[in-house]
Amino acid sequence: MPRWNPAGLHCYVTGGSQGLGLELALLLVKERAHVSIVARDQSKLDAAIRQLEDVRVDESQIIRAYSFSLNTAEGAEAALTAASVPHEGRVPDALFLCAGSARPGFFVEETPAGLQSAFDNVYWVQAWSALTAAKTYAKQRAKGKIVFVSSTVGLMGLIGYSSYAPAKHALRGLADTLRSELSLYGVDVQIFFPPTMQSPGYENENKTKPKITLKIEEDDKGLSCAVAARGMLEGVKQGQAHITADFINTLLRATMRGAAPYNNIVLDTIYACIGNIALPDWRRGVDKLIVKHRKEHEEYLQQKGFWND
Amino acid sequence: MFGFFERSWDPAAKHCYVTGGSQGLGLALALDLVKRGAHVSIIARNQARLDAALEVLEEARLDKTQQIHAYSFSLATFEESKAALDAACAVHGGRVPDALFFCAGASTPRFFVETSPEQLEQTFVDGYWVQAWSALAAAKMLAKQRAKGVKIVFVASTLAYMSFVGYSSYAPAKTALRALADSLRSELMLYDADVHLFCPPTMRTAGYERENLTKPAITLAIEETDEGISPEDGARAILSGIRSGQAHIAADFLTHLFRASTRGSTPYNNPIVDAVLGCIAWIAVPVWRRSVDARVRKHREDHERYLQTQGFYDAD
């Protein structure tokens, strides 16, 4: 498969004002793409645009920022339409759906609104953009690319992530279905699984994350957003269906392939063999930690007034 | 470790809570449980179907002391799901059930580009939230009551492991259920509860007939070699899987193949069997997928004609 090249193409990046989305947008601008970034906060978008302008390569590059909330179908549609205006209404050549945020916590402490909003901020915030893009690609009989961003917890479930993992897994379910279905329209679909990324989003996430979850993750240094973005773009260029940029997620990816294509059959087979031994072993260790944590957890719930009614 | 001590799980005299219990898999399971002496509560929306189901269950009653009840509730919101659970527990002194089987769910496959936002949201309710809300209500209840050994069984689908054209609303919801089951398997260890996931293939039920009304022709064509299983096969597999302590339960060879090749960090059922399945899947799955991809690509022209006749390209 020929390497995908963003030069001269219109790339649409949601969550593009910070973290992974911004780092990706910077790379795309440097490679001579036209870039539209979408996010909610206007001041963050303004700051991001200044950074993008600093790395502009060519006068003809169209670099724009749009402030929209993407967790409704209407918002996603309006954003995509707005970004298409400077391109004669043509749907972008590639969409990078980096929008999303996490609030880990214990399941028994979750509220229905909390569970619902986890889905809105993780799944729907990307699914709505995919829906409006797919319809537009089909209507305009245009070819293109949609890239979702999931997570390590889109490849496994873990204590503390019962609100977040289902939504990140759902993105994988959607990406795999659309990889098959959107070939009816000549649209490629790919999905990236970053690990912990050192970003403002991550600081926020750790505020509510259960201690036991933090403990299980303590050895995971994660990646900087810049390194993650480079890994993501490289995987996109190679046309990989499932993209990972770090070893652990690569092991997970190789053992969670479902029906998705191999990236490299030899390497993926080796990773799967390693993963099929290493992952259950890791998980047994985690299970033991959790069982040992029972008493501490009960004290924690007691202190939070869980049994007061 | 998980599973080694489960061989003795016996539903007799235990309160088993079955959502989607008025037809299909849920009813087959409820019947099986009644025959083994369990107290059974079935939950569904349609009162007429519940009444018919209750008659079937009563005929299989072993013992006068068995509490066999049907409750009409929607499970689409947390409030309703909690109300259903509370209602079913009332006759048991408010105690959380010993085992919960979330068989509620429906599928409405369509082409993605023909799906409205409302339809996409509704299918997520039908495929995910109708089980997730019950899980939230049950988890809070079992934690509050410090109840030990509670079993929770989610019912997803083979489409939780892999997907293809037509299932853009269903596969995400079922994949999400897989993640919820895996996360809760981990987290509910804090409360000594067990979590299982059952992934059935096509099941020959009334639900399946309804599903085929909207299903795209290409999807039906891809599935045509899948004979599927009966709901009774499904019920048997669930109970056997719980007794063997399996985190993920399957009832047919193809799903086992996908299960073994999408295992990630989920516990294996049997290391040797799973390794063999993994090797078979390593060859068989890519072959299957490439043939599916080829069929979809060949279908492009037909699909464009279909969209044309549906008025898809007409100006909005």
Side-chain angles (χ1 to χ4, degrees):
Chain A
M1 185 189 291
R3 253 175 102 76
W4 183 75
N5 183 351
L9 297 182
H10 176 201
C11 297
Y12 179 84
V13 183
T14 68
S17 67
Q18 61 179 19
L20 176 71
L22 177 54
E23 290 298 330
L24 183 69
L26 286 166
L27 290 177
L28 292 167
V29 170
K30 286 180 193 167
E31 300 217 19
R32 256 201 336 112
H34 305 290
V35 173
S36 305
I37 57 171
V38 186
R40 259 176 309 201
D41 191 309
Q42 188 64 59
S43 59
K44 287 207 189 110
L45 283 166
D46 294 337
I49 278 284
R50 283 196 290 276
Q51 286 194 55
L52 294 179
E53 281 293 344
D54 276 342
V55 298
R56 172 191 280 279
V57 164
D58 197 296
E59 263 161 28
S60 66
Q61 279 175 285
I62 302 173
I63 302 173
R64 298 271 194 282
Y66 301 92
S67 169
F68 284 92
S69 167
L70 296 170
N71 35 6
T72 64
E74 298 71 37
E77 199 181 323
L80 191 66
T81 309
S84 305
V85 166
H87 298 269
E88 291 112 36
R90 273 197 332 273
V91 65
D93 300 291
L95 287 89
F96 298 87
L97 306 176
C98 305
S101 64
R103 261 192 108 256
F106 285 117
F107 192 57
V108 301
E109 292 191 294
E110 289 283 356
T111 62
L115 282 193
Q116 183 68 62
S117 101
F119 255 88
D120 290 340
N121 294 330
V122 172
Y123 178 71
W124 294 112
V125 76
Q126 295 188 25
W128 292 138
S129 292
L131 183 65
T132 187
K135 290 180 176 182
T136 316
Y137 276 124
K139 285 221 165 89
Q140 296 184 359
R141 293 180 170 93
K143 295 201 190 313
K145 186 186 281 296
I146 299 177
V147 183
F148 292 91
V149 176
S150 177
S151 161
T152 306
V153 295
L155 294 170
M156 69 160 190
L158 190 64
I159 182 171
Y161 288 108
S162 53
S163 60
Y164 188 56
K168 282 300 191 183
H169 273 65
L171 286 173
R172 180 165 58 81
L174 184 61
D176 284 348
T177 312
L178 295 183
R179 197 192 53 75
S180 165
E181 186 164 331
L182 300 190
S183 73
L184 288 170
Y185 318 102
V187 174
D188 300 326
V189 179
Q190 298 167 277
I191 179 166
F192 177 48
F193 299 93
T196 298
M197 281 183 295
Q198 300 136 12
S199 68
Y202 183 59
E203 309 287 312
N204 232 10
E205 182 181 311
N206 280 353
K207 289 188 190 141
T208 56
K209 194 177 285 179
K211 281 221 207 56
I212 176 81
T213 308
L214 280 166
K215 174 153 182 51
I216 291 165
E217 294 178 341
E218 72 191 349
D219 294 328
D220 175 17
K221 292 195 200 38
L223 295 179
S224 70
C225 291
V227 171
R230 273 202 293 280
M232 177 180 176
L233 188 55
E234 181 55 30
V236 170
K237 287 177 173 178
Q238 288 186 30
Q240 296 178 344
H242 288 189
I243 304 166
T244 50
D246 69 291
F247 184 62
I248 308 259
N249 282 14
T250 299
L251 288 188
L252 279 169
R253 172 181 68 67
T255 58
M256 282 290 280
R257 213 182 41 252
Y262 293 101
N263 292 356
N264 173 308
I265 187 167
V266 172
L267 286 178
D268 280 3
T269 305
I270 296 173
Y271 289 135
C273 292
I274 299 173
N276 280 321
I277 300 170
L279 289 168
D281 193 62
W282 168 82
R283 188 196 33 80
R284 270 192 291 270
V286 168
D287 289 354
K288 285 208 190 84
L289 272 182
I290 294 172
V291 171
K292 270 208 278 221
H293 186 71
R294 277 180 190 169
K295 200 157 164 303
E296 199 179 316
H297 181 65
E298 169 140 357
E299 282 159 15
Y300 160 84
L301 285 180
Q302 190 84 267
Q303 179 226 22
K304 283 294 215 73
F306 183 73
W307 281 281
N308 308 349
D309 245 316
Chain B
M1 195 195 99
F2 200 91
F4 205 72
F5 303 99
E6 300 302 336
R7 284 171 212 289
S8 57
W9 190 73
D10 182 1
K14 298 210 169 69
H15 178 203
C16 297
Y17 180 83
V18 184
T19 67
S22 67
Q23 58 182 4
L25 176 70
L27 180 54
L29 188 58
L31 193 54
D32 216 323
L33 291 165
V34 167
K35 287 183 183 162
R36 289 165 201 268
H39 305 293
V40 174
S41 306
I42 58 171
I43 314 291
R45 260 174 311 192
N46 185 299
Q47 188 64 59
R49 278 203 278 267
L50 279 167
D51 294 338
L54 205 53
E55 274 176 35
V56 171
L57 295 182
E58 276 296 340
E59 266 172 51
R61 174 189 279 282
L62 281 187
D63 197 289
K64 274 203 303 284
T65 61
Q66 275 176 286
Q67 297 276 16
I68 302 173
H69 301 281
Y71 303 92
S72 170
F73 283 91
S74 155
L75 299 169
T77 65
F78 174 71
E79 291 68 28
E80 290 165 306
S81 302
K82 179 171 189 310
L85 188 61
D86 288 341
C89 295
V91 74
H92 295 272
R95 269 195 335 273
V96 69
D98 299 289
L100 298 96
F101 300 85
F102 300 142
C103 305
S107 162
T108 322
R110 287 190 188 89
F111 284 118
F112 193 52
V113 302
E114 289 195 296
T115 310
S116 73
E118 294 72 29
Q119 285 168 339
L120 206 60
E121 269 175 331
Q122 185 56 48
T123 50
F124 223 88
V125 173
D126 293 338
Y128 178 75
W129 292 112
V130 294
Q131 296 188 25
W133 293 136
S134 294
L136 185 61
K140 285 178 191 266
M141 194 188 264
L142 71 88
K144 277 237 165 78
Q145 295 179 3
R146 292 182 170 92
K148 305 247 173 280
V150 173
K151 297 204 183 299
I152 295 179
V153 181
F154 291 92
V155 176
S157 160
T158 312
L159 290 160
Y161 295 137
M162 61 81 181
S163 184
F164 51 94
V165 57
Y167 288 113
S168 53
S169 55
Y170 192 62
K174 292 308 186 179
T175 313
L177 270 184
R178 183 253 171 95
L180 185 61
D182 285 351
S183 302
L184 292 184
R185 194 199 61 80
S186 158
E187 186 162 330
L188 299 190
M189 275 186 203
L190 289 172
Y191 319 101
D192 203 359
D194 298 324
V195 179
H196 305 261
L197 178 77
F198 175 51
C199 288
T202 297
M203 264 188 307
R204 304 184 288 265
T205 64
Y208 181 60
E209 306 294 314
R210 264 197 303 280
E211 181 182 310
N212 282 350
L213 295 174
T214 56
K215 193 178 286 178
I218 176 79
T219 307
L220 273 165
I222 290 166
E223 291 179 340
E224 72 196 344
T225 52
D226 176 18
E227 267 172 31
I229 60 171
S230 69
E232 290 73 27
D233 291 334
R236 261 194 301 275
I238 290 178
L239 291 180
S240 155
I242 291 181
R243 274 198 296 279
S244 312
Q246 297 176 341
H248 283 200
I249 303 165
D252 67 295
F253 182 65
L254 283 180
T255 307
H256 274 300
L257 278 189
F258 286 116
R259 179 185 64 73
S261 64
T262 314
R263 212 186 50 244
S265 66
T266 304
Y268 39 73
N269 292 353
N270 175 305
I272 297 169
V273 172
D274 278 16
V276 171
L277 287 171
C279 291
I280 299 173
W282 180 73
I283 302 166
V285 169
V287 169
W288 171 84
R289 182 192 42 80
R290 274 196 280 267
S291 83
V292 169
D293 287 353
R295 279 175 101 154
V296 174
R297 276 195 297 271
K298 267 206 279 224
H299 187 68
R300 274 188 198 173
E301 273 179 33
D302 279 352
H303 183 65
E304 168 142 355
R305 269 195 292 272
Y306 161 81
L307 286 181
Q308 194 85 269
T309 62
Q310 297 291 110
F312 180 77
Y313 297 104
D314 305 341
D316 287 327

